[in-house]
Amino acid sequence: MSLFSKENGEIFKGPLNLNNPVAVQVLGICSALAVTSQLMPAIVMGISVTAITAFANVIISLLRKTIPNRIRIIVQLVVVAALVTIVSNILKAYVYDVSVELSVYVGLIITNCILMGRLEAFAMQNSPWPSFLDGIANGLGYAFVLVVVGFVRELLGFGTILGFQIVPDCCYMENGGLYINNGMMTMPAMALILVACFIWVHRIVNEEKK
């Protein structure tokens, strides 16, 4: 099969839209609620999950014919745990403040339903290249939702994007304007509402395509 065949193209495009792991399969919701109060942690979490999913898929795909069926889940967890440890140490070394903000949620990538689902449903049955594409696509599909929710929450909750002030000081009520930051946007409950709205819009837009 060609590296850029139509089949591989479908594998890559599916999770980005019509089979998005969050909007369609409703997976990975917990971290979507926990790390999206600001945009930077959402971006870092999305990149981390994408990298781990892609490389875990490749490793499991390479090992799939040598893994005894009765211990396959244990092997998958060991591979994922090793990759999560590597990513966690990289984050602590280069973006320490963000890694502190993400706290235990980086470690909880080990139990991410998207990641374990792709290993079991795809990587165990397919060769390394399609598995890599599947991992990248599912990670990006997940990251896209986090970025959208994080963007809205930070903008409306803090008036900033990536820490840079977007709403001018003159717009705030204390300075004679009409704007006030929405404190509810910083709460997990609002993240749940935004994810629900994203799922609703996604399904309306893609209903005819399906």
Side-chain angles (χ1 to χ4, degrees), residues 49-127:
V49 171
T50 300
I52 293 171
T53 306
F55 286 106
N57 265 16
V58 171
I59 294 171
I60 293 300
S61 178
L62 290 170
L63 298 176
R64 70 188 190 282
K65 295 182 180 179
T66 63
I67 301 174
N69 188 61
R70 65 183 180 277
I71 63 168
R72 71 187 189 282
I73 302 298
I74 297 175
V75 174
Q76 292 170 14
L77 286 172
V78 169
V79 170
V80 173
L83 291 172
V84 168
T85 301
I86 293 171
V87 168
S88 178
N89 287 329
I90 290 174
L91 294 180
K92 290 177 182 177
Y94 294 102
V95 283
Y96 181 76
D97 292 341
V98 177
S99 71
V100 170
E101 190 170 350
L102 290 174
S103 183
V104 299
Y105 295 103
V106 174
L108 289 176
I109 294 175
I110 296 173
T111 59
N112 191 299
C113 300
I114 299 171
L115 178 56
M116 297 306 298
R118 298 326 297 167
L119 295 178
E120 182 69 12
F122 197 92
M124 287 294 292
Q125 284 79 40
N126 292 275
S127 57

Side-chain angles (χ1 to χ4, degrees), residues 6-193:
K6 182 178 180 180
E7 291 81 2
N8 284 338
E10 291 300 321
I11 290 173
F12 185 78
K13 290 189 296 183
L16 298 178
N17 189 18
L18 293 180
N19 198 29
N20 185 278
V22 178
V24 178
Q25 302 173 46
V26 197
L27 300 175
I29 295 295
C30 295
S31 55
L33 305 184
V35 303
T36 56
S37 61
Q38 292 184 304
L39 185 56
M40 181 57 74
I43 292 174
V44 172
M45 176 62 84
I47 293 173
S48 300
V49 171
T50 300
I52 293 171
T53 306
F55 286 106
N57 265 16
V58 171
I59 294 171
I60 293 300
S61 178
L62 290 170
L63 298 176
R64 70 188 190 282
K65 295 182 180 179
T66 63
I67 301 174
N69 188 61
R70 65 183 180 277
I71 63 168
R72 71 187 189 282
I73 302 298
I74 297 175
V75 174
Q76 292 170 14
L77 286 172
V78 169
V79 170
V80 173
L83 291 172
V84 168
T85 301
I86 293 171
V87 168
S88 178
N89 287 329
I90 290 174
L91 294 180
K92 290 177 182 177
Y94 294 102
V95 283
Y96 181 76
D97 292 341
V98 177
S99 71
V100 170
E101 190 170 350
L102 290 174
S103 183
V104 299
Y105 295 103
V106 174
L108 289 176
I109 294 175
I110 296 173
T111 59
N112 191 299
C113 300
I114 299 171
L115 178 56
M116 297 306 298
R118 298 326 297 167
L119 295 178
E120 182 69 12
F122 197 92
M124 287 294 292
Q125 284 79 40
N126 292 275
S127 57
W129 177 247
S131 297
F132 178 75
L133 292 177
D134 180 78
I136 287 286
N138 277 276
L140 291 176
Y142 165 84
F144 176 71
V145 178
L146 261 65
V147 167
V148 170
V149 175
F151 179 89
V152 174
R153 292 183 70 191
E154 181 174 355
L155 179 61
L156 300 183
F158 300 97
T160 62
I161 293 296
L162 295 175
F164 297 99
Q165 185 169 350
I166 301 300
V167 180
D169 288 332
C170 62
C171 293
Y172 286 101
M173 295 185 70
E174 59 266 27
N175 296 323
L178 299 175
Y179 184 80
I180 184 171
N181 288 330
N182 188 339
M184 283 194 65
M185 283 292 173
T186 65
M187 301 173 64
M190 185 54 69
L192 181 62
I193 293 172

